[in-house]
Amino acid sequence: MCRRCRRRARGWSASSTPKRLWQLNQAFWADKKLALQQEIIFASTGTKKSTDAPDKYVEALAGSDIQTNPPATNDAVEKLNKQYRRAVDQMPARAILDEVDAKVNPAKMEQVLMSEGLAKFADPQKALLKLIGEKRGALTAAK
């Protein structure tokens, strides 16, 4: 693979993977003839690297079914005042996808994403339950 293609492959894994999932989801439901269209949700589509554009994933997944963004991403999108064009169905070059496939272990990626995703939901829930317990304890002690 050319050096330029390798450079371009960096950073594509995070946007080509959901695009591939979106395509698979579209293909799976296409012939089901359901009363309601099935949609896929891309949640928390914020960037992690400060060198990435704050709207990197908003732009890459534009036109997808549903995207939820962290508040900082929404603020950045509002400030950028850009017009986004459908991109969710536009894949990078085959050479880039081949490079991503060669370097990404899907099972490990799934494990990391599931672990991080569960923690992002479970940790605040646990903190809320702890706070409720503390408040309840304080109210009970005050009686």
Side-chain angles (χ1 to χ4, degrees):
M1 174 181 292
C2 71
R3 185 178 303 173
R4 183 173 167 227
C5 292
R6 268 195 302 275
R7 268 187 269 122
R8 287 179 52 204
R10 289 187 204 126
W12 270 103
S13 175
S15 60
S16 64
T17 299
K19 286 180 176 209
R20 285 175 167 172
L21 292 171
W22 183 85
Q23 287 179 339
L24 289 169
N25 189 62
Q26 294 294 306
F28 178 83
W29 293 107
D31 63 349
K32 302 299 188 266
K33 297 183 181 11
L34 300 172
L36 297 174
Q37 180 181 353
Q38 299 301 303
E39 297 177 331
I40 192 166
I41 298 173
F42 295 113
S44 299
T45 54
T47 58
K48 290 184 179 181
K49 291 171 36 180
S50 61
T51 55
D52 286 341
D55 66 334
K56 176 181 179 176
Y57 301 112
V58 171
E59 187 166 43
L61 300 173
S64 60
D65 301 327
I66 301 168
Q67 262 190 77
T68 65
N69 307 312
T73 300
N74 288 335
D75 292 345
V77 166
E78 187 175 356
K79 286 177 188 164
L80 289 169
N81 197 27
K82 276 168 81 171
Q83 247 190 339
Y84 296 94
R85 301 203 187 292
R86 184 178 183 84
V88 70
D89 52 1
Q90 297 170 15
M91 297 299 287
R94 180 80 251 162
I96 292 173
L97 293 174
D98 290 345
E99 179 74 9
V100 169
D101 291 343
K103 292 188 173 189
V104 174
N105 177 332
K108 180 160 175 97
M109 180 176 62
E110 179 183 358
Q111 178 187 13
V112 169
L113 291 174
M114 289 300 293
S115 176
E116 288 178 1
L118 287 172
K120 285 181 180 180
F121 286 97
D123 292 349
Q125 179 69 18
K126 289 175 188 174
L128 177 61
L129 291 173
K130 181 180 176 193
L131 179 63
I132 290 170
E134 290 168 358
K135 296 282 184 180
R136 180 178 288 153
L139 289 172
T140 304
K143 287 183 178 182

